[in-house]
Amino acid sequence: MRLLFLAFIFLFSPFNFLYGKNNVSLQLKWKHQFQFAGFYMAKEKGFYDELNLNVKIDELQEKNPINSIINGSYDFAVGDSTIIFEKMSGKEITALLSIYQHSPMVLVGLEKNGLDHPRKLENKIIEIPKYSVGNIAIENLLINSRVNFIHKKPSFKIDDLINGKTDLISGYISNEPFRLKEKGFKSLIINPKDWGIDFYGDMLYTSNKFLKENPKIVENFHNATIKGWIYAFEHIEETVDLILEKYNTQGKSKKALIYEATKLKKLAGDLKNFGNLDPIKIRQIASNFSLQFENKFDFNKLDDFIYKNTNNKMFILNKEEELFLSQNNEFNVCTQYNFYPFDGVKSKKVIGIMGEYLNDISKLLNIKFNGIASNSNTQLNEKAKNGKCHLISSVSPESKRFKNYEVTTPFLWDDFWIISSIKVPVINVPDKIPKDRVFYVLFEVHKRLINDVYPELNIIVEKDIDKIMNIISKDEHTSFLSLGIYAERIIQKYGFDKFKVNEILTNAKISGGLAVNKDLDLLKNILNKTIIYLEKNKKFNQIRQRYILKEYKIEKSNTHLIYILGFLIFILIITLYKYHLTKMEKLKLQEKLNNKLNAEKSALIQLKTAGIFHVKNNHFLWTNEKFTKMLGFEKDEIIGQNIKNIYKKDKILEIKLFKQIKEKRTFSGEVVLIKKDKTNLIVDFSANALENKDFKQKDDFEFIGMIIDISQKKKQEIQLRELNENLEQKVKEQTREIREQALRDSLTKAYNRNAYNEKINELLNEYSRYNIFFSIIYVDLDDFKKINDTFGHHKGDEVLINFCEIVKEHIRVNDELYRMGGEEFAILLPNTKLETAKIVSNKLLELLRENLKIDDKTPITVSGGLVQVLKNDTAETIYKRVDELLYKSKKRGKNRITFCDE
């Protein structure tokens, strides 16, 4: 009996209700395997339990799990990049995190068949679902490669590949290669990522409705899931054993699960930033969908797609880093420039842009920064040498000035601005710079960076800014090359009437980060994580915008504009309503105009909202008080005055006004009157001629008039028009930005094949119409597959990025680089014949031989072809010719560029 009583108390106790767990459900996108291991570990290790969550994990129940999320059957689900497509199509969902930074979906073949390049797939049989959103990356790769392949419906049988019934199948890089290996066959992979088409893999998402109603549950599930995934990848064998014990519905072997885990861990990326979702990458993926499908997608729907966990730092410190911060929470920051608004020190605090940025870092890390000012570069060097500075506020990674310091991840990117005397005409860089012009800079690193891009500039380093400004004020052949971040303030300090920004060197850029004492390596790692987090939202630039001088400041918030527009529309509606009421009063007034003059005056005096007046022979006989107040006159100042003295001289208006009053006996329209203080007053002007009057002479007429002040209304109309124009401009800018993202390669930031297709057709059209020649250099990085196999894909990516940086720094201003796929690139040289193109290509080849290396040790070579456009060339024929020359270079021993006349 006692046991029954205790059970009753437990079941119905209010405390059990209060502390009961939140039941949530998760639907996977496939059957149980290591692909979903992080969820299993979060559940089994108690990470969900710690946050009061009871999680039910189900395998895929229906073909499109997004319906289960929208209708509330499940709270969370796993999808892939297709959820971006669904979001743009109108589904109300939010992406919480990306489990895999790169998609595992690839084309798999047999190594012995040698199909290692998309161009080799002509007339090959490929098993891939037709018109499948989930395979869009592979479809885009095949379309971009311009090959005609034989489509075959997937059989999901690996034996069809082995028996030669198909040449390639679409599958997971973590599964199909292992299945082939078990059967004794070596696999060969064609990965869209290697050809510039980089999609996310699995993504966790929920509905907007569930997020809105259960923000704390979503936050807890998000955080515990990240913890589970990090644990799973850091304890692969333990995780695999758990799957074998509880989740192995497919009957996979331990060896298969470990293989899968190893491959997927690489796709997950840096575990320190696990789950990261990049808005730029999401828009690039969205652009791929928009190019493939004809739907009219709304990219603005992606604005609320990424989950914003306001209570989570979104970066993870390891135990060593956390211990360091618990023992060290105060650091000295030496300011390098001490030039407001960039930085400065006041009451031992760093102020200005750097002060605000450091303040954001200190809030995230719960640490304190003490500012230390320096009156000169020598003094700063001495303090840094003596170890008084834990940090230096902003230092370029290229600077060699502080030998005992290392620079963090950059957060500042800036151009060099040319400051000159106000008398100096515009300087065209680098086309028409006189040889006697001298440019001053503050630092040696500035000179080095600028001369790398503009070697013809005569640059002198002078560390005293007062001396520089004195020189350029007196000598019109000199200028100062200042960083843009404080150029305007320099001009403000030394005089807007004496100096101006003459030009901007957009090709010479400098980056900057915090310089950290080498003895504080852990602090540098912590700051790198914090800066990466802050710069996801471009925090430094947000702060910088607040310090732009007001005369240059541009409001960039669309939301702010919308609020203003909404407010003005509201005011306009009220104004128009009042205006309508006033019009009704005017109609009433017109009905009384046939009464006697005294009766008219008596009635009109009652109209408080309008200025009323009586004119005879062009002179005022009477006005009401409102009329004189509106114009700023006393009544005795206006009576007897000629009406022509108070309206803005406009011959056409004058003829129209008096002609209509004489002939039609009425007038209504906008008129600009001149107030006593000589300012303008825009009014709605109405007049009605009095009856029984004969107009014998030009000025012999009499009328009653009324004016209503519409100056504010006109001002609002102008503001609305300007706001509309600004909004239209913003839309155009956003459209351009989205288009630019669609035409850029996400890894290297070079233009992609879509951009190449547009430009080549543009150049062919110019050649056809105006006979403007152009040339193409087509290059391929030699033995790139060996680089990936030997050093890893991350090093391969670094090589591609380094290659693009070298090329973009050294090609001419009008030349452009395009990533055609994988390790193949095209350089288009407009208005360039073959002989000039040979010089460009030889110079580029030498630069690459000297500078393109892995870890500054292992050299990487390139092979290429070079052609000039010929009569009747098409995009296909010119591509075929240059591609053939590239392969000639390969056959001749690589590390060369073959010309069309060789």
Short mmCIF file of all heavy atoms in Angstrom, two decimals, residues 131-170:
data_model
loop_
_atom_site.label_atom_id
_atom_site.label_comp_id
_atom_site.label_asym_id
_atom_site.label_seq_id
_atom_site.Cartn_x
_atom_site.Cartn_y
_atom_site.Cartn_z
N TYR A 131 16.90 15.26 -63.66
CA TYR A 131 16.22 16.45 -63.14
C TYR A 131 16.07 16.41 -61.62
O TYR A 131 15.06 16.82 -61.07
CB TYR A 131 14.84 16.62 -63.79
CG TYR A 131 14.87 16.56 -65.29
CD1 TYR A 131 14.16 15.58 -65.99
CD2 TYR A 131 15.65 17.45 -66.02
CE1 TYR A 131 14.20 15.51 -67.36
CE2 TYR A 131 15.70 17.40 -67.40
CZ TYR A 131 14.98 16.42 -68.07
OH TYR A 131 15.03 16.34 -69.43
N SER A 132 17.09 15.88 -60.94
CA SER A 132 17.03 15.78 -59.48
C SER A 132 17.69 17.00 -58.85
O SER A 132 18.84 17.33 -59.16
CB SER A 132 17.76 14.51 -59.02
OG SER A 132 17.97 14.54 -57.63
N VAL A 133 16.96 17.65 -57.94
CA VAL A 133 17.51 18.81 -57.23
C VAL A 133 18.71 18.38 -56.40
O VAL A 133 19.70 19.09 -56.27
CB VAL A 133 16.43 19.46 -56.34
CG1 VAL A 133 17.03 20.60 -55.52
CG2 VAL A 133 15.29 19.98 -57.19
N GLY A 134 18.66 17.15 -55.85
CA GLY A 134 19.72 16.66 -54.98
C GLY A 134 21.03 16.41 -55.70
O GLY A 134 22.09 16.32 -55.07
N ASN A 135 21.00 16.29 -57.01
CA ASN A 135 22.21 16.04 -57.79
C ASN A 135 22.61 17.24 -58.64
O ASN A 135 23.30 17.10 -59.65
CB ASN A 135 22.01 14.82 -58.70
CG ASN A 135 22.07 13.52 -57.92
OD1 ASN A 135 23.13 12.97 -57.68
ND2 ASN A 135 20.90 13.05 -57.52
N ILE A 136 22.15 18.42 -58.23
CA ILE A 136 22.35 19.62 -59.05
C ILE A 136 23.83 19.92 -59.26
O ILE A 136 24.23 20.39 -60.33
CB ILE A 136 21.62 20.83 -58.42
CG1 ILE A 136 21.59 22.01 -59.40
CG2 ILE A 136 22.27 21.24 -57.12
CD1 ILE A 136 20.65 21.81 -60.52
N ALA A 137 24.69 19.64 -58.27
CA ALA A 137 26.12 19.94 -58.41
C ALA A 137 26.73 19.09 -59.52
O ALA A 137 27.49 19.59 -60.36
CB ALA A 137 26.85 19.68 -57.09
N ILE A 138 26.38 17.80 -59.55
CA ILE A 138 26.90 16.91 -60.61
C ILE A 138 26.34 17.33 -61.96
O ILE A 138 27.07 17.36 -62.97
CB ILE A 138 26.55 15.45 -60.28
CG1 ILE A 138 27.32 14.99 -59.04
CG2 ILE A 138 26.87 14.54 -61.46
CD1 ILE A 138 26.97 13.61 -58.55
N GLU A 139 25.05 17.66 -62.01
CA GLU A 139 24.44 18.09 -63.28
C GLU A 139 25.12 19.35 -63.81
O GLU A 139 25.39 19.48 -65.01
CB GLU A 139 22.94 18.30 -63.10
CG GLU A 139 22.16 17.01 -62.99
CD GLU A 139 20.67 17.20 -63.24
OE1 GLU A 139 20.30 18.22 -63.84
OE2 GLU A 139 19.90 16.33 -62.84
N ASN A 140 25.38 20.32 -62.92
CA ASN A 140 26.06 21.54 -63.35
C ASN A 140 27.46 21.25 -63.89
O ASN A 140 27.90 21.86 -64.86
CB ASN A 140 26.17 22.52 -62.17
CG ASN A 140 24.91 23.36 -62.01
OD1 ASN A 140 24.01 23.30 -62.84
ND2 ASN A 140 24.82 24.12 -60.94
N LEU A 141 28.16 20.32 -63.24
CA LEU A 141 29.49 19.94 -63.70
C LEU A 141 29.42 19.38 -65.12
O LEU A 141 30.23 19.75 -65.99
CB LEU A 141 30.10 18.90 -62.76
CG LEU A 141 31.42 18.27 -63.20
CD1 LEU A 141 32.51 19.32 -63.30
CD2 LEU A 141 31.84 17.17 -62.24
N LEU A 142 28.46 18.49 -65.38
CA LEU A 142 28.34 17.88 -66.71
C LEU A 142 27.92 18.91 -67.77
O LEU A 142 28.41 18.88 -68.89
CB LEU A 142 27.33 16.73 -66.65
CG LEU A 142 27.74 15.53 -65.77
CD1 LEU A 142 26.59 14.56 -65.60
CD2 LEU A 142 28.96 14.84 -66.34
N ILE A 143 27.04 19.82 -67.38
CA ILE A 143 26.61 20.87 -68.32
C ILE A 143 27.78 21.79 -68.66
O ILE A 143 28.02 22.11 -69.83
CB ILE A 143 25.43 21.68 -67.72
CG1 ILE A 143 24.17 20.81 -67.68
CG2 ILE A 143 25.18 22.94 -68.53
CD1 ILE A 143 23.04 21.41 -66.87
N ASN A 144 28.52 22.22 -67.63
CA ASN A 144 29.66 23.11 -67.85
C ASN A 144 30.75 22.46 -68.69
O ASN A 144 31.49 23.14 -69.40
CB ASN A 144 30.25 23.55 -66.51
CG ASN A 144 29.35 24.52 -65.77
OD1 ASN A 144 28.42 25.08 -66.35
ND2 ASN A 144 29.59 24.71 -64.48
N SER A 145 30.85 21.13 -68.60
CA SER A 145 31.90 20.42 -69.35
C SER A 145 31.51 20.20 -70.81
O SER A 145 32.33 19.75 -71.61
CB SER A 145 32.18 19.07 -68.68
OG SER A 145 32.60 19.25 -67.35
N ARG A 146 30.24 20.49 -71.15
CA ARG A 146 29.77 20.41 -72.54
C ARG A 146 29.99 19.03 -73.15
O ARG A 146 30.45 18.91 -74.29
CB ARG A 146 30.46 21.48 -73.40
CG ARG A 146 30.21 22.89 -72.92
CD ARG A 146 30.86 23.90 -73.83
NE ARG A 146 30.66 25.25 -73.35
CZ ARG A 146 31.10 26.34 -73.96
NH1 ARG A 146 31.76 26.23 -75.09
NH2 ARG A 146 30.88 27.54 -73.47
N VAL A 147 29.69 17.99 -72.40
CA VAL A 147 29.82 16.63 -72.93
C VAL A 147 28.44 16.03 -73.12
O VAL A 147 27.51 16.32 -72.37
CB VAL A 147 30.65 15.73 -72.00
CG1 VAL A 147 32.09 16.16 -71.97
CG2 VAL A 147 30.08 15.70 -70.59
N ASN A 148 28.31 15.21 -74.14
CA ASN A 148 27.07 14.48 -74.38
C ASN A 148 27.23 13.08 -73.81
O ASN A 148 27.98 12.26 -74.33
CB ASN A 148 26.78 14.41 -75.88
CG ASN A 148 26.56 15.79 -76.48
OD1 ASN A 148 25.77 16.57 -75.96
ND2 ASN A 148 27.27 16.09 -77.55
N PHE A 149 26.53 12.81 -72.71
CA PHE A 149 26.64 11.50 -72.07
C PHE A 149 25.30 10.77 -72.18
O PHE A 149 24.26 11.37 -72.48
CB PHE A 149 27.04 11.65 -70.60
CG PHE A 149 26.02 12.34 -69.73
CD1 PHE A 149 25.07 11.62 -69.02
CD2 PHE A 149 26.01 13.73 -69.63
CE1 PHE A 149 24.14 12.25 -68.23
CE2 PHE A 149 25.06 14.38 -68.85
CZ PHE A 149 24.12 13.63 -68.14
N ILE A 150 25.36 9.48 -71.94
CA ILE A 150 24.14 8.66 -71.99
C ILE A 150 23.59 8.53 -70.58
O ILE A 150 24.24 7.98 -69.69
CB ILE A 150 24.45 7.27 -72.59
CG1 ILE A 150 25.03 7.43 -74.00
CG2 ILE A 150 23.20 6.40 -72.60
CD1 ILE A 150 25.64 6.16 -74.56
N HIS A 151 22.40 9.07 -70.39
CA HIS A 151 21.80 9.05 -69.06
C HIS A 151 21.15 7.69 -68.80
O HIS A 151 20.45 7.14 -69.65
CB HIS A 151 20.74 10.16 -68.95
CG HIS A 151 20.03 10.17 -67.63
ND1 HIS A 151 18.88 9.45 -67.40
CD2 HIS A 151 20.33 10.79 -66.46
CE1 HIS A 151 18.50 9.64 -66.17
NE2 HIS A 151 19.34 10.46 -65.58
N LYS A 152 21.39 7.16 -67.60
CA LYS A 152 20.79 5.89 -67.20
C LYS A 152 20.19 6.02 -65.81
O LYS A 152 20.82 6.58 -64.91
CB LYS A 152 21.86 4.78 -67.21
CG LYS A 152 21.30 3.40 -66.86
CD LYS A 152 22.43 2.37 -66.84
CE LYS A 152 21.91 1.01 -66.40
NZ LYS A 152 23.00 0.02 -66.28
N LYS A 153 18.99 5.52 -65.65
CA LYS A 153 18.33 5.57 -64.35
C LYS A 153 19.13 4.76 -63.34
O LYS A 153 19.56 3.65 -63.62
CB LYS A 153 16.92 5.01 -64.47
CG LYS A 153 16.09 5.18 -63.20
CD LYS A 153 14.68 4.65 -63.40
CE LYS A 153 13.87 4.80 -62.12
NZ LYS A 153 12.49 4.28 -62.29
N PRO A 154 19.36 5.30 -62.13
CA PRO A 154 20.18 4.59 -61.14
C PRO A 154 19.59 3.22 -60.76
O PRO A 154 18.39 3.11 -60.50
CB PRO A 154 20.19 5.53 -59.94
CG PRO A 154 19.87 6.87 -60.51
CD PRO A 154 18.96 6.62 -61.65
N SER A 155 20.46 2.23 -60.75
CA SER A 155 20.06 0.90 -60.30
C SER A 155 20.51 0.65 -58.87
O SER A 155 20.04 -0.27 -58.22
CB SER A 155 20.67 -0.16 -61.20
OG SER A 155 22.10 -0.14 -61.08
N PHE A 156 21.45 1.51 -58.39
CA PHE A 156 22.04 1.40 -57.06
C PHE A 156 22.76 0.06 -56.87
O PHE A 156 22.90 -0.43 -55.75
CB PHE A 156 20.98 1.60 -55.95
CG PHE A 156 20.26 2.91 -56.05
CD1 PHE A 156 18.97 2.97 -56.55
CD2 PHE A 156 20.89 4.10 -55.70
CE1 PHE A 156 18.31 4.19 -56.66
CE2 PHE A 156 20.23 5.32 -55.80
CZ PHE A 156 18.95 5.36 -56.29
N LYS A 157 23.19 -0.54 -57.98
CA LYS A 157 23.93 -1.80 -57.93
C LYS A 157 25.37 -1.57 -58.33
O LYS A 157 25.65 -1.18 -59.47
CB LYS A 157 23.29 -2.84 -58.87
CG LYS A 157 21.88 -3.26 -58.47
CD LYS A 157 21.29 -4.22 -59.49
CE LYS A 157 19.87 -4.63 -59.09
NZ LYS A 157 19.25 -5.52 -60.12
N ILE A 158 26.30 -1.80 -57.41
CA ILE A 158 27.72 -1.58 -57.69
C ILE A 158 28.22 -2.55 -58.76
O ILE A 158 29.18 -2.26 -59.49
CB ILE A 158 28.53 -1.71 -56.38
CG1 ILE A 158 29.85 -0.95 -56.50
CG2 ILE A 158 28.77 -3.15 -56.00
CD1 ILE A 158 29.72 0.50 -56.28
N ASP A 159 27.54 -3.69 -58.89
CA ASP A 159 27.96 -4.70 -59.87
C ASP A 159 27.79 -4.21 -61.30
O ASP A 159 28.51 -4.65 -62.20
CB ASP A 159 27.17 -6.00 -59.66
CG ASP A 159 27.59 -6.73 -58.39
OD1 ASP A 159 28.71 -6.44 -57.90
OD2 ASP A 159 26.82 -7.54 -57.87
N ASP A 160 26.83 -3.32 -61.55
CA ASP A 160 26.66 -2.78 -62.90
C ASP A 160 27.90 -2.01 -63.35
O ASP A 160 28.24 -1.99 -64.53
CB ASP A 160 25.43 -1.86 -62.96
CG ASP A 160 24.13 -2.64 -62.96
OD1 ASP A 160 24.20 -3.88 -62.96
OD2 ASP A 160 23.06 -2.01 -62.96
N LEU A 161 28.56 -1.37 -62.38
CA LEU A 161 29.80 -0.65 -62.66
C LEU A 161 30.93 -1.64 -62.95
O LEU A 161 31.69 -1.48 -63.91
CB LEU A 161 30.16 0.24 -61.46
CG LEU A 161 31.23 1.31 -61.64
CD1 LEU A 161 30.83 2.32 -62.69
CD2 LEU A 161 31.48 2.03 -60.31
N ILE A 162 30.99 -2.69 -62.16
CA ILE A 162 32.04 -3.70 -62.31
C ILE A 162 31.87 -4.47 -63.62
O ILE A 162 32.86 -4.77 -64.31
CB ILE A 162 32.01 -4.67 -61.10
CG1 ILE A 162 32.37 -3.89 -59.81
CG2 ILE A 162 32.97 -5.84 -61.30
CD1 ILE A 162 32.11 -4.66 -58.54
N ASN A 163 30.62 -4.78 -63.97
CA ASN A 163 30.36 -5.58 -65.18
C ASN A 163 30.33 -4.77 -66.45
O ASN A 163 30.06 -5.31 -67.53
CB ASN A 163 29.04 -6.34 -65.01
CG ASN A 163 29.08 -7.32 -63.84
OD1 ASN A 163 30.14 -7.85 -63.51
ND2 ASN A 163 27.92 -7.53 -63.20
N GLY A 164 30.56 -3.47 -66.37
CA GLY A 164 30.63 -2.63 -67.57
C GLY A 164 29.28 -2.23 -68.12
O GLY A 164 29.20 -1.71 -69.24
N LYS A 165 28.20 -2.39 -67.34
CA LYS A 165 26.89 -1.96 -67.81
C LYS A 165 26.72 -0.45 -67.69
O LYS A 165 25.83 0.13 -68.29
CB LYS A 165 25.78 -2.67 -67.01
CG LYS A 165 25.71 -4.17 -67.26
CD LYS A 165 24.58 -4.78 -66.45
CE LYS A 165 24.50 -6.30 -66.69
NZ LYS A 165 23.40 -6.91 -65.90
N THR A 166 27.55 0.15 -66.87
CA THR A 166 27.56 1.60 -66.72
C THR A 166 29.00 2.06 -66.50
O THR A 166 29.84 1.28 -66.04
CB THR A 166 26.65 2.03 -65.55
OG1 THR A 166 26.53 3.45 -65.56
CG2 THR A 166 27.25 1.62 -64.21
N ASP A 167 29.31 3.30 -66.86
CA ASP A 167 30.68 3.81 -66.73
C ASP A 167 30.90 4.56 -65.43
O ASP A 167 31.99 4.51 -64.84
CB ASP A 167 31.00 4.74 -67.92
CG ASP A 167 31.01 3.98 -69.23
OD1 ASP A 167 31.75 3.01 -69.34
OD2 ASP A 167 30.25 4.39 -70.15
N LEU A 168 29.88 5.29 -64.98
CA LEU A 168 29.98 6.05 -63.74
C LEU A 168 28.65 6.01 -63.02
O LEU A 168 27.59 5.96 -63.65
CB LEU A 168 30.35 7.51 -64.02
CG LEU A 168 31.76 7.84 -64.53
CD1 LEU A 168 31.80 9.29 -64.99
CD2 LEU A 168 32.79 7.60 -63.46
N ILE A 169 28.71 6.06 -61.68
CA ILE A 169 27.49 6.16 -60.89
C ILE A 169 27.63 7.33 -59.93
O ILE A 169 28.72 7.70 -59.53
CB ILE A 169 27.21 4.86 -60.09
CG1 ILE A 169 28.35 4.58 -59.10
CG2 ILE A 169 26.99 3.68 -61.02
CD1 ILE A 169 28.07 3.45 -58.14
N SER A 170 26.50 7.94 -59.58
CA SER A 170 26.53 8.97 -58.54
C SER A 170 26.42 8.28 -57.19
O SER A 170 25.63 7.34 -57.02
CB SER A 170 25.40 9.97 -58.72
OG SER A 170 24.14 9.33 -58.63
#
